[in-house]
């Protein structure tokens, strides 16, 4: 079953990199979620011989994921677990001399997570800090004697003598945020902890947030990110600031772009700072994309280096010689590694292909890299890269992959009714021969400014294993196809994206892959919103699963966290009511919907509140359309409890199975 204009993925890459395979394999099941381990945050030791990383696993008894710190040698011969507490650890960082690894943990029943220090040669970890606030990040000074920390102000709302929380009191324009909840006047600031004196100094103060500190190579200065405009709640502006690394020092703003400047990285000689700048200088910048930019420690110039690239850049790193930068580029379903020569601004792609580089870290002793990388057949593992040669260091995922069959993955391009070419990825059931048409599920990504890429996707793999053709569609609004493609849906939701999704369905039907009588659609977040738009636009869908979505957009104003976006993109409801009603068409035209729909949401979601699912559920029930509503207790926008994640997968299979009837059950 070949698709015109597509790329075919055989299992060659899997068999090349994996250890010996078992003779018999089975299809993926929702319960396999509990076997999947997640690797993150790889960090290379100063001597270049080790990589520390975080590994999270499911604790089924406590129904949560627990992360521990591990390290692997860069020659791939040794793997060592460094921590194993039940509370979990994260954010491993090497001391500059390489003798110690620090991490963040709330061990021993601490109310607030603290920084702990572990001698890599052995012994127990010891607690360094005694922080009274939420520790958000930290970084070692070059001499190893200090830590700069980002800490959110302490919450004093809980009374000492009563179990009753004080009322939430807000006077801010932006007053709620998913996970954080109601936002009172608590801000994040920089603090300096001295390991020699065990003393902590406050570096920054004020009614604004400071983040992302970066030490100059000589340890005398700090660059950081802050929005210090008149009312930071009303715009997405951030700038790069520089200060001496001492209490009471003057903070100098060195960038002034009205959009976002962030992620500063000092050059090896300490003269320049590379950073990321959003392409948009508007107060609301979601439809922009990051570009690599350059300045110096005084802000005497600001140069955008990758404007001609027209693709999002992230995860920037200096090469050791200080003459070039490496970064990750999102480009049409892939996440590749590029290099730019600063002198002539020439960009060269180092590694691309049908894979996704999720992060990169430089080796301080060579020009080698360590990368976290995934392919459609293998979840993320750590790899060493030297002169374009990729060598696998970890084999964590072998235990997960070896017993199962993975889907056949194909890229495809479809054409929408207005002639727009849209990229997609198709997942076919393991062993599919192409002798019959398959039920199709269009499983739509959120964002909308994101993209489905060539990496391992558990949800789509499980759906394909159940007998479905599963399509991921990078509809207009997605990134990886240029700024114009991303911005094309601004103030026009549920129009071009719907045309692109329906165009992909038509293409797969035309190619004889999808059964036109058995088409379903689903997604989470903006994927759920687009599910609502699609079933209100096309009655061909025989089943839908709308997760964390909304349709009555008018009712979301002041209820979710997107007030900046709404007022800048749509205008206020009382000044632009027609636009708000237009974008709420799935609710106001609910009587056009004929699709049985499963609605799902997190109880505590402030991103897309459960009201969005509840309203559409009520509308369909009133109209007599089969519908079901599932609310996950205590969950935010992202469902994190493993048993609920498994439940969601099982409900997808039950709902789509009832209405689409795949041959594999």
């Amino acid at each position: 079953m070949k698709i015109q204009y597509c790329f075919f993925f055989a299992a060659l890459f899997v068999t090349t990199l994996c250890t010996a395979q078992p003779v018999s394999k089975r299809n993926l099941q929702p319960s396999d979620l509990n076997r999947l381990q997640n690797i993150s945050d790889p960090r290379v030791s100063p001597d270049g011989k080790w990589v520390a990383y975080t590994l999270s696993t499911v604790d089924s008894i406590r129904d949560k994921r627990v992360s521990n710190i591990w390290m692997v040698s860069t020659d791939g011969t040794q793997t060592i677990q460094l921590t194993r507490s039940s509370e979990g650890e994260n954010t491993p960082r090497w001391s500059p001399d390489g003798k110690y690894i620090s991490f963040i943990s709330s061990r021993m029943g601490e109310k607030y997570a603290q920084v702990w220090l572990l001698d890599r040669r052995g012994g127990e970890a010891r607690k360094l800090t005694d922080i009274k606030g939420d520790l958000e990040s930290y970084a070692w000074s070059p001499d190893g004697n200090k830590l700069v920390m980002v800490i959110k102000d302490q919450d004093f709302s809980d009374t000492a003598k009563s179990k009753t929380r004080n009322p939430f009191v807000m006077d801010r324009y932006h007053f709620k945020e998913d996970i954080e909840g109601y936002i009172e006047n608590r801000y994040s600031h920089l603090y300096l902890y001295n390991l020699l004196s065990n003393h902590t100094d406050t570096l920054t103060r004020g009614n604004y947030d400071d983040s992302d500190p970066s030490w100059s190579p000589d340890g005398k200065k700090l660059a950081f990110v802050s929005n210090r405009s008149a009312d930071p709640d009303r715009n997405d502006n951030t700038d790069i600031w520089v200060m001496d690394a001492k209490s009471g020092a003057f903070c100098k703003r060195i960038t002034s772009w009205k959009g976002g400047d962030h992620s500063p990285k000092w050059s090896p000689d300490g003269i320049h700072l590379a950073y990321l700048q959003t392409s948009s200088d508007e107060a609301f910048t979601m439809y922009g994309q990051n570009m690599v930019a350059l300045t110096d420690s005084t802000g005497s110039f600001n140069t955008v280096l990758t404007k001609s690239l027209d693709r999002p850049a992230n995860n920037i790193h200096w090469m050791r010689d200080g003459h070039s930068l490496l970064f990750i580029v999102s480009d049409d379903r892939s996440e590749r590694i590029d290099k730019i020569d600063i002198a002539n601004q020439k960009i060269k792609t180092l590694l691309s292909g049908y894979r996704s580089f999720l992060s990169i870290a430089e080796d301080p002793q060579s020009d080698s890299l360590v990368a976290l990388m995934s392919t459609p057949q293998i979840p993320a593992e750590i790899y060493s890269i030297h002169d374009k040669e990729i060598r696998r260091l970890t084999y964590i995922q072998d235990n997960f992959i070896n017993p199962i069959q993975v889907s056949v993955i194909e890229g495809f391009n479809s054409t929408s009714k207005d002639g727009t070419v849209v990229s997609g990825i198709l997942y076919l059931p393991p062993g599919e021969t192409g002798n019959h048409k398959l039920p199709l599920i269009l499983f739509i990504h959120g964002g909308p400014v994101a993209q489905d890429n060539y990496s391992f996707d558990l949800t789509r793999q499980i759906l394909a294993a159940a007998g479905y053709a599963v399509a991921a569609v990078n509809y207009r609004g997605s990134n990886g196809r240029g700024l114009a493609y991303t911005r094309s849906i601004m103030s026009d939701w549920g129009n071009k994206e719907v045309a692109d999704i329906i165009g992909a369905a038509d293409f797969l039907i035309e190619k004889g892959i999808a059964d036109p009588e058995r088409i379903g659609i689903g997604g989470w977040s903006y994927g759920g919103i687009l599910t609502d738009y699609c079933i209100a636009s096309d009655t061909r869908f025989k089943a839908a699963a709308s997760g964390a979505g909304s349709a009555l957009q008018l009712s979301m104003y002041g209820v979710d966290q997107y007030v900046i976006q709404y007022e800048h993109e749509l205008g206020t409801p009382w000044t632009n009511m027609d636009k708000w009603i237009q974008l709420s068409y799935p609710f106001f035209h609910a009587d056009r919907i004929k699709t049985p729909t499963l609605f799902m949401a997190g109880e505590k979601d402030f991103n897309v509140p459960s009201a969005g699912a509840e309203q559409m559920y009520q509308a369909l029930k009133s109209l007599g359309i089969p519908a079901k509503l599932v609310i996950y207790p205590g969950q935010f926008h992202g469902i994190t409890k493993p048993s609920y994640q498994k439940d969601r997968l099982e409900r997808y299979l039950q709902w789509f199975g009832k209405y689409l009837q795949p041959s594999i059950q």
Side-chain angles (χ1 to χ4, degrees):
M1 183 183 292
K2 290 282 189 172
I3 302 177
Q4 191 176 6
Y5 309 121
C6 75
F7 304 102
F8 178 76
F9 294 89
L12 176 62
F13 196 69
V14 182
T15 56
T16 301
L17 293 178
C18 289
T19 55
Q21 304 290 300
V23 175
S24 62
K25 291 173 176 274
R26 59 174 178 80
N27 284 352
L28 266 169
Q29 301 291 333
S31 58
D32 285 312
L33 179 144
N34 290 334
R35 298 193 306 109
L36 182 61
Q37 301 181 83
N38 295 327
I39 302 174
S40 62
D41 206 7
R43 300 281 169 159
V44 186
S45 63
D47 61 9
K49 295 180 179 180
W50 293 92
V51 182
Y53 59 94
T54 299
L55 181 67
S56 75
T57 59
V58 172
D59 183 335
S60 57
I61 295 176
R62 296 192 295 162
D63 199 11
K64 63 180 292 187
R65 277 196 171 269
V66 177
S67 59
N68 293 119
I69 309 300
W70 291 65
M71 66 179 186
V72 61
S73 59
T74 49
D75 63 8
T77 62
Q78 300 180 70
T79 301
I80 301 172
Q81 182 173 358
L82 297 175
T83 69
R84 55 181 75 245
S85 75
S86 58
E87 294 89 349
E89 298 84 22
N90 59 72
T91 323
R93 299 291 183 266
W94 294 92
S95 63
D97 61 9
K99 294 180 179 178
Y100 299 94
I101 293 178
S102 57
F103 56 84
I104 295 176
S105 179
S106 54
R107 289 180 169 191
M108 301 174 64
E110 294 275 354
K111 179 180 179 180
Y112 296 106
Q114 306 294 332
V115 180
W116 294 70
L117 192 65
L118 178 68
D119 191 325
R120 58 169 281 194
R121 296 163 294 185
E124 292 294 327
R126 64 183 178 92
K127 189 177 72 167
L128 282 183
T129 61
D130 188 21
I131 295 165
K132 306 299 182 184
D134 297 324
L135 175 60
E136 297 178 341
S137 67
Y138 74 103
W140 285 86
S141 64
D143 63 8
N145 293 330
K146 302 179 184 69
L147 300 176
V148 61
M149 303 179 294
V150 180
I151 305 172
K152 182 175 286 292
D153 294 338
Q154 188 174 353
D155 184 358
F156 292 103
S157 61
D158 293 325
T159 59
K161 298 181 179 180
S162 173
K163 293 183 179 180
T164 302
R165 192 201 189 280
N166 288 338
F168 293 102
V169 180
M170 279 77 66
D171 60 4
R172 297 175 59 171
Y173 171 79
H174 180 66
F175 67 93
K176 63 196 309 185
E177 191 80 19
D178 194 39
I179 301 177
E180 188 172 347
Y182 290 107
I183 302 174
E184 298 176 285
N185 289 317
R186 297 172 60 210
Y187 297 92
S188 299
H189 297 300
L190 305 187
Y191 294 81
L192 192 66
Y193 173 74
N194 190 308
L195 280 77
L196 301 179
S197 65
N198 196 31
H199 179 71
T200 301
D201 285 321
T202 302
L203 295 182
T204 62
R205 294 179 172 87
N207 293 337
Y208 35 74
D209 294 312
D210 304 315
S211 65
D212 209 3
S214 177
W215 289 93
S216 63
D218 62 8
K220 294 181 179 180
K221 295 182 180 295
L222 286 165
F224 63 96
V225 176
S226 190
N227 180 354
R228 302 192 177 189
S229 58
D231 189 348
D233 282 353
R234 292 180 180 269
N235 60 73
D236 286 342
N237 169 254
T238 53
D239 292 307
I240 309 297
W241 298 70
V242 171
M243 66 180 298
D244 291 338
K246 59 185 180 181
S247 182
F250 173 73
C251 299
K252 178 180 175 59
R253 187 177 71 169
I254 62 170
T255 67
S256 57
W257 182 245
K258 291 182 180 180
D261 297 321
H262 58 98
S263 306
K265 297 288 181 68
W266 291 89
S267 61
D269 60 11
I271 296 175
H272 295 104
L273 279 157
Y275 62 98
L276 295 174
Q277 181 181 102
T278 59
S279 55
S280 171
D281 64 351
E282 299 159 328
F284 175 70
T285 61
M286 186 182 75
Y287 297 109
Q289 57 189 18
N290 287 332
M291 305 177 293
V292 179
L294 190 71
T295 185
D296 62 12
S297 62
T298 65
S300 64
F301 72 93
N302 299 97
T303 301
V304 176
L305 301 176
T306 62
K307 194 170 186 177
S308 63
L309 183 62
D310 196 23
R311 291 292 186 272
N314 287 289
N315 206 212
I316 52 176
H317 293 271
W318 286 91
M319 296 291 286
R320 287 192 308 152
D321 60 12
H323 299 312
S324 54
L325 291 160
L326 298 177
F327 50 97
I328 293 176
V329 176
S330 299
D331 180 27
D332 194 8
R333 296 166 288 189
S334 73
E335 307 289 334
R336 69 178 195 237
I337 300 176
D338 278 14
K339 176 182 178 181
I340 185 167
D341 185 292
I342 292 174
N344 57 29
Q345 298 187 19
K346 289 186 177 179
I347 301 172
K348 179 181 180 182
T349 296
L350 298 184
L351 288 165
S352 58
Y354 310 125
R355 54 198 171 194
S356 291
F357 293 96
L358 308 178
S359 70
I360 53 177
E362 67 274 27
D363 183 339
Q365 300 300 320
S366 71
D367 287 330
S368 298
L369 291 175
V370 165
L372 190 64
M373 185 186 81
S374 175
T375 71
Q377 297 88 3
I378 303 178
E381 295 272 23
I382 297 174
Y383 298 80
S384 175
I385 301 171
H386 183 71
D387 290 336
K388 295 189 177 184
E389 179 184 346
I390 302 177
R391 179 169 47 87
R392 187 171 170 182
L393 297 182
T394 59
Y395 292 83
I396 302 297
Q397 309 299 354
D398 281 4
N399 289 334
F400 177 80
I401 290 294
N402 285 345
I404 62 174
Q405 300 182 89
V406 293
S407 299
V408 177
I409 312 297
E410 300 181 357
F412 69 92
N413 292 327
S414 57
T415 303
S416 301
K417 63 182 180 181
D418 62 358
T420 300
V421 177
V422 176
S423 301
I425 302 173
L426 180 66
Y427 296 70
L428 296 173
E432 175 58 38
T433 60
N435 294 329
H436 59 284
K437 296 178 180 179
L438 297 168
L440 170 68
I441 297 175
L442 296 142
F443 202 83
I444 309 304
H445 73 71
V449 183
Q451 72 160 348
D452 286 313
N453 54 32
Y454 294 129
S455 61
F456 188 84
D457 188 295
L458 182 66
T459 298
R460 293 187 178 96
Q461 287 276 357
I462 286 176
L463 291 172
Y468 300 97
V470 183
V473 183
N474 285 324
Y475 51 84
R476 275 170 283 186
S478 305
N479 64 24
R481 292 284 303 280
L483 187 58
Y485 192 87
T486 299
R487 290 180 63 88
S488 64
I489 69 166
M490 189 171 181
S491 304
D492 190 23
W493 312 341
N495 179 16
K496 298 180 179 70
E497 317 98 295
V498 173
D500 295 344
I501 292 165
I502 291 174
D506 291 341
F507 173 80
L508 296 172
I509 291 169
E510 178 188 346
K511 294 303 175 184
I513 295 165
D515 182 346
E517 300 302 318
R518 293 187 293 166
I519 301 176
I521 187 170
W524 198 266
S525 191
Y526 201 74
I529 292 172
L530 285 181
T531 296
D532 294 345
Y533 279 128
C534 285
I535 62 176
S537 304
D538 194 322
T539 58
R540 287 183 297 171
F541 297 105
K542 297 299 188 290
S546 175
S550 64
L552 181 52
Q553 312 304 353
L554 182 61
S555 69
M556 293 292 106
Y557 182 89
V559 175
D560 65 20
Q561 64 187 28
Y562 292 108
V563 63
I564 298 176
Q565 175 178 4
Y566 291 150
E567 295 199 354
H568 286 91
E569 185 175 352
L570 307 181
T572 56
W574 52 91
T575 60
N576 201 17
M577 179 65 74
D578 289 347
K579 171 60 70 174
W580 284 82
I581 292 176
Q582 174 194 338
L583 299 186
S584 300
Y585 74 77
F587 183 83
F588 288 117
H589 296 296
D591 54 343
R592 299 177 182 176
I593 297 174
K594 308 301 179 187
T595 304
T597 304
L598 170 66
F599 296 98
M600 312 167 92
E603 179 192 24
K604 294 185 176 182
D605 189 348
F606 274 7
N607 187 314
V608 186
S610 60
E614 293 163 355
Q615 290 162 348
M616 284 301 290
Y617 166 76
Q618 189 67 71
L620 265 60
K621 293 300 285 187
S622 297
L623 291 164
I625 304 299
K628 184 176 287 187
L629 176 65
V630 179
I631 304 294
Y632 290 105
Q635 298 296 284
F636 303 108
H637 191 61
I639 305 301
T640 57
K641 189 179 285 291
S643 65
Y644 291 159
Q645 293 176 332
K646 177 173 171 285
D647 179 90
R648 178 170 56 180
L649 291 169
E650 291 171 340
R651 291 186 188 277
Y652 286 153
L653 295 180
Q654 292 165 4
W655 192 260
F656 287 122
K658 179 178 180 179
Y659 295 101
L660 302 184
Q661 300 177 344
S663 58
I664 301 173
Q665 297 290 344

